[in-house]
Amino acid sequence: MSLGEQAAYHDAFDVQTLSYRAPEVIYGQPFGHAIDAWSLGVSLAELFGGKVLVQAASRGGLAVQVAGLLGRPPRGAFAQSKYAAELLPLVQHQPEALSRAALRNKLAAELGAGPSQQEHQLMDLLAALLAYDPAVRLTPLQALSHDFFADAFPVCALLPAAAAAAAAAGRGRFGRSARGGVGGGAAQRGAAGPVSAGLRGRVGAGRRFLRR
């Protein structure tokens, strides 16, 4: 979607399927390509968990569902949005917005993640994609540079030096492993090995569930 096409939706904000709608669209703020990172995070969570992550029949219901997952929006985040007066009172009773680490742990519990390093890394990837602030969500390059993909697709090795350095910097900022390390060196990434049969099975089961 081009910038011109995005602006055409800034009246009713009727864009994205409701269950995959990013917070800035829910609350009625100008949006950009980061809404796709949110939708990707929801889709990956559903493929892994085999269940719908958030589901509602209305804008208000969706705001409540998202706040139940992430906590209430940070102070001032949507204060000037089109639907602030309608939606913010619905979520004020929720706890403060979770940190990335806290959201990672919550997603692991709700989606039934196992103890493997790969599944911990996947939960960290999801937490980095499911952020209220679109400026904090991973960009496509940062997502591809995340530890979860390092063995299957070492994207930084395919990039020019300057782009690889930028991706590595993004991974250092956003791509902390679930075990607390930053980025992950070759030895740490190698310990995870190729995608495990267990993880492939979880995703396959999730895909079959979502086809119903």
Side-chain angles (χ1 to χ4, degrees), residues 67-156:
L69 178 67
L70 303 185
R72 67 174 180 268
R75 185 181 299 276
F78 302 116
Q80 304 303 315
S81 66
K82 181 173 183 177
Y83 303 108
E86 172 191 346
L87 301 180
L88 288 177
L90 301 179
V91 300
Q92 287 308 302
H93 66 286
Q94 295 286 354
E96 291 185 359
L98 298 177
S99 67
R100 174 168 164 178
L103 178 58
R104 182 179 63 216
N105 293 337
K106 183 173 184 178
L107 288 168
E110 294 202 0
L111 299 176
S116 73
Q117 184 176 348
Q118 280 188 323
E119 294 190 27
H120 277 288
Q121 289 172 342
L122 177 58
M123 295 304 106
D124 186 69
L125 175 64
L126 296 181
L129 293 169
L130 299 174
Y132 269 122
D133 186 351
V136 172
R137 275 177 229 144
L138 297 186
T139 66
L141 182 56
Q142 288 165 346
L144 284 172
S145 302
H146 190 276
D147 287 351
F148 177 70
F149 295 114
D151 292 301
F153 185 54
V155 66
C156 289

Side-chain angles (χ1 to χ4, degrees), residues 13 22 25 58 131 211:
F13 292 89
V25 180
S58 67
R211 284 195 189 122

